[in-house]
Amino acid sequence: MEMEKIIAQIENQKTLPNLNLSIKSKTEAFTHKLFYTLFDKQTPVKDNLMELGMDFEVLAKLVCWEPGSPCQDIWSEYLQMLPGILEKLNLDAQAIAKSDPAANSVEEVYLSYPGFYAIATYRLSHELYKFGLPLVPRLMTECAHSTTGTDINPGATIGNSFFIDHATGVVIGETAVIEDNVKIYQGVTLGALTVNRTLRNIKRHPTIKSNVTIYANATILGGETIIGENSVIGGNVWLTKSVPENSMVSHTPQISIKNAIDK
């Protein structure tokens, strides 16, 4: 009798009819298959694209429960975008290989760099986000987030030849704009000044212009904050105001060193 009461109490609280956890696992499988299709030399492109089309149809039926939501008809348009997305991703990989002295080959970037995987997943999800497809783009980037520690919202706008070095702890918000040839390091946050539901359709994350480098653990906040071209933002910097082009911004802590043993 006690067990029946517990079951009833649990079932009574499961009130969201569309909360289907298989959406998450199916999206993760879809993302991995898409990655292999685009990059793995041994993966047959034609066969995988056909499988991906069927997988997407299943996903679309699961997430498009609201009337008027875009569904499986998105796939044919998205398919046409894949060559262009792949071209951008190859530019990202080349930028990483050229910028990082620790990279021994472009193949190493594709296989082992968490920053590249996070960027790739972002670019693949971003186009689906622009279609207005519910849930799937966010779950795709969360797949990369859980794997790499890098959280890029699929709504962010990112230009060509993007490089995230080391990747762990990077956060890029939904309305952030990043132009071409930008390099950021671990722990960087491009965030909002405040968290308020009324700001949902307002730009609340910063704009990073071309050729900017942002070093580890820097935090840049605010939708009106613009980092000018060719600027360098040093480690641990906290910014809530714009910076003109060609700037060097640094944080200088006060360090005191004492001898462990007094003489």
Side-chain angles (χ1 to χ4, degrees):
M1 192 64 181
E2 185 65 26
M3 178 61 74
E4 291 179 1
K5 183 179 179 181
I6 292 170
I7 292 169
Q9 288 175 337
I10 292 173
E11 289 182 341
N12 287 338
Q13 294 188 67
K14 294 173 73 172
T15 59
L16 298 173
N18 300 307
L19 182 52
N20 185 337
L21 290 179
S22 72
I23 296 171
K24 184 175 181 179
S25 59
K26 290 180 187 299
T27 300
E28 289 174 352
F30 174 80
T31 303
H32 289 307
K33 187 178 290 185
L34 193 52
F35 193 87
Y36 267 73
T37 303
L38 294 181
F39 297 111
D40 181 54
K41 190 67 175 177
Q42 308 305 314
T43 296
V45 175
K46 182 178 179 181
D47 292 347
N48 262 40
L49 287 178
M50 292 180 64
E51 292 176 11
L52 282 164
M54 292 184 286
D55 294 342
F56 186 84
E57 184 175 353
V58 172
L59 267 177
K61 288 178 179 177
L62 288 171
V63 300
C64 293
W65 58 75
E66 294 183 4
S69 294
C71 288
Q72 57 264 30
D73 54 347
I74 289 174
W75 177 250
S76 59
E77 292 185 58
Y78 182 69
L79 194 60
Q80 296 178 45
M81 295 178 173
L82 286 179
I85 296 171
L86 180 57
E87 185 176 354
K88 282 190 172 186
L89 289 172
N90 287 333
L91 289 174
D92 295 326
Q94 290 165 17
I96 294 170
K98 289 177 182 178
S99 299
D100 188 0
N104 296 305
S105 65
V106 179
E107 289 85 351
E108 183 177 321
V109 172
Y110 288 107
L111 288 167
S112 68
Y113 273 58
F116 176 75
Y117 182 74
I119 294 167
T121 306
Y122 154 77
R123 292 206 189 279
L124 292 167
S125 67
H126 179 65
E127 298 303 327
L128 293 174
Y129 174 92
K130 291 197 296 185
F131 280 118
L133 182 70
L135 266 178
V136 172
R138 185 58 185 269
L139 288 173
M140 289 174 72
T141 55
E142 282 304 309
C143 177
H145 184 194
S146 62
T147 302
T148 67
T150 300
D151 185 3
I152 307 176
N153 190 288
T157 302
I158 300 177
N160 292 331
S161 301
F162 185 41
F163 177 20
I164 303 176
D165 201 3
H166 303 296
T168 306
V170 168
V171 177
I172 299 173
E174 181 183 27
T175 63
V177 175
I178 299 173
E179 295 188 356
D180 298 338
N181 304 308
V182 169
K183 182 195 303 183
I184 66 178
Y185 286 76
Q186 70 273 16
V188 167
T189 296
L190 305 181
L193 276 169
T194 59
V195 179
N196 191 316
R197 189 67 180 175
T198 61
L199 300 175
R200 177 170 173 76
N201 297 314
I202 296 174
K203 189 178 186 305
R204 54 196 186 277
H205 304 97
T207 295
I208 312 298
K209 304 296 270 186
S210 296
N211 306 311
V212 168
T213 298
I214 307 173
Y215 283 101
N217 299 314
T219 297
I220 304 173
L221 306 178
E224 296 182 359
T225 303
I226 300 172
I227 306 302
E229 290 185 2
N230 309 310
S231 293
V232 176
I233 309 301
N236 298 307
V237 163
W238 178 282
L239 279 175
T240 58
K241 294 182 180 180
S242 295
V243 168
E245 62 184 23
N246 303 309
S247 295
M248 173 79 74
V249 182
S250 61
H251 168 72
T252 306
Q254 183 175 352
I255 300 174
S256 178
I257 302 174
K258 296 181 181 180
N259 290 330
I261 301 174
D262 293 328
K263 295 182 180 179

